[in-house]
Amino acid sequence: MVKELYKLYRPITATPFSCGETYIEIPPCETLAPYICCFWGTSKNIKTVAPNEIQNGVVIPDTCMDIIWEVDFTNNQIGNSFCGIQDISFISSSKNISVEVCTFAIRFYAWAVILFADEDMKSVLNSFFDTGYYFKDFKYKLESALLNRNTIAERIEITEKYLLQRINKNRENHNVMNSIYKMLISRGNVSIKELTEYASVSPRQLERLFKQVIGTSPKQFTNLLRYQYLWQDIVCRKYFNVQDAVFKYGYCDQAHLLNDFKSYHTMTPTQAKEYALKSN
């Protein structure tokens, strides 16, 4: 089932049209496409020279989880973090310093992380961890290899070889996958009752399974998917009609939709679209 989900859904960021030396997204190979949304980072090593400049960016909930490496070639150092699933936005900031650096990351679909991890996901919501806690082999087998590569293409090549060997399909839970399939075809407009009937499990059991596999409750994840689908409509359509979206996504009224969107995005739909287009 996990192999089919990515064909129904691809989440986007707050600036989905951005592409350049400081940020680029590259799709994975065909075999990894069901599990990896994209690889992302700097397209090549960046030499930064402005010590006091701060770069800020809005990071919105994208229903994914990321392993991120920050490589400092000048000092021959590499840092890492595992970013669990988020249901809040935050500001990402970085200070430029006079060194040669790069960023490289793997963006996993939330439902696929468990197939690569050593631990379950029950404590990852809105949290950052040392990668080694959840992915011991990732840290120790990939860090030195990444430090010795100069382009994102080279880093992707070595990472994909490792990931293809790492997949543990025995950790896939079919009840969770069936529920997510129902969420996706409903574009997040589905009740817990409908989900439990479709997956043939009790509400309590589905709650427990989702916490283990994804780190959220089924209700939280459904709401995140609905928000992501709504955001894609807002930013990708030339004309967006709020009242049509109220009906499409099952909101009570226009105020409910606008408040829900702002709670995730920290901006109104108009402000969010302007920010996304300005960052193009």
Side-chain angles (χ1 to χ4, degrees):
M1 172 62 75
V2 70
K3 286 189 173 183
E4 304 300 320
L5 299 181
Y6 81 105
K7 297 178 182 179
L8 301 173
Y9 172 73
R10 191 187 188 284
I12 61 174
T13 66
T15 55
F17 311 117
S18 295
C19 183
E21 287 188 353
T22 58
Y23 182 83
I24 188 172
E25 294 182 3
I26 298 177
C29 66
E30 184 177 351
T31 306
L32 287 172
Y35 316 102
I36 309 295
C37 180
C38 67
F39 297 99
W40 63 270
T42 51
S43 61
K44 60 182 181 180
N45 299 350
I46 303 295
K47 291 183 178 179
T48 57
V49 293
N52 298 317
E53 182 181 347
I54 300 291
Q55 296 178 332
N56 296 320
V58 177
V59 180
I60 62 171
D62 61 6
T63 65
C64 291
M65 302 191 221
D66 298 51
I67 294 178
I68 307 169
W69 284 277
E70 300 284 351
V71 185
D72 176 347
F73 293 97
T74 302
N75 298 301
N76 200 38
Q77 296 176 343
I78 185 167
N80 72 84
S81 62
F82 168 56
C83 175
I85 191 167
Q86 305 285 316
D87 68 356
I88 56 174
S89 294
F90 62 92
I91 300 296
S92 174
S93 64
S94 59
K95 181 179 290 187
N96 287 341
I97 54 177
S98 301
V99 296
E100 184 178 358
V101 297
C102 82
T103 301
F104 175 69
I106 312 168
R107 181 169 292 150
F108 294 92
Y109 290 109
W111 55 78
V113 177
I114 195 73
L115 305 184
F116 299 89
D118 299 309
E119 306 289 339
D120 66 37
M121 298 291 113
K122 62 185 178 182
S123 300
V124 304
L125 181 64
N126 297 326
S127 298
F128 288 83
F129 302 88
D130 183 281
T131 303
Y133 182 80
Y134 284 94
F135 309 89
K136 296 180 179 65
D137 284 353
F138 276 54
K139 181 171 181 177
Y140 300 113
K141 291 187 177 180
L142 280 181
E143 280 198 356
S144 60
L146 294 173
L147 190 59
N148 294 321
R149 300 305 191 275
N150 292 317
T151 67
I152 194 169
E154 292 174 324
R155 294 182 187 103
I156 289 172
E157 181 181 10
I158 193 70
T159 303
E160 286 190 328
K161 288 179 180 179
Y162 175 74
L163 290 172
L164 289 169
Q165 299 173 349
R166 176 75 186 189
I167 303 171
N168 183 0
K169 296 180 181 178
N170 292 327
R171 300 197 77 185
E172 180 178 332
N173 185 282
H174 295 291
N175 290 324
V176 172
M177 296 304 115
N178 286 334
S179 299
I180 294 173
Y181 174 77
K182 181 67 172 176
M183 292 175 183
L184 294 178
I185 62 174
S186 305
R187 301 174 70 87
N189 185 13
V190 62
S191 69
I192 298 302
K193 183 175 185 295
E194 290 173 302
L195 289 176
T196 55
E197 289 176 351
Y198 187 81
S200 298
V201 294
S202 69
R204 185 173 181 179
Q205 184 180 6
L206 191 64
E207 179 100 7
R208 177 180 60 80
L209 291 172
F210 260 76
K211 288 288 180 65
Q212 290 177 344
V213 174
I214 294 181
T216 69
S217 68
K219 181 64 175 175
Q220 283 174 303
F221 195 64
T222 300
N223 289 341
L224 287 171
L225 288 174
R226 181 170 68 166
Y227 154 72
Q228 262 288 323
Y229 276 119
L230 175 62
W231 170 224
Q232 292 176 37
D233 279 358
I234 291 168
V235 77
C236 295
R237 293 177 181 270
K238 187 173 182 179
Y239 301 106
F240 173 72
N241 185 288
V242 177
Q243 198 54 50
D244 288 346
V246 168
F247 175 78
K248 181 178 182 179
Y249 293 107
Y251 287 98
C252 299
D253 51 34
Q254 183 171 314
H256 181 205
L257 181 150
L258 295 174
N259 289 335
D260 190 65
F261 180 84
K262 192 170 184 180
S263 71
Y264 286 120
H265 211 103
T266 73
M267 306 179 195
T268 67
T270 300
Q271 291 168 336
K273 187 168 186 175
E274 288 176 353
Y275 177 82
L277 296 177
K278 184 176 64 175
S279 303
N280 188 0

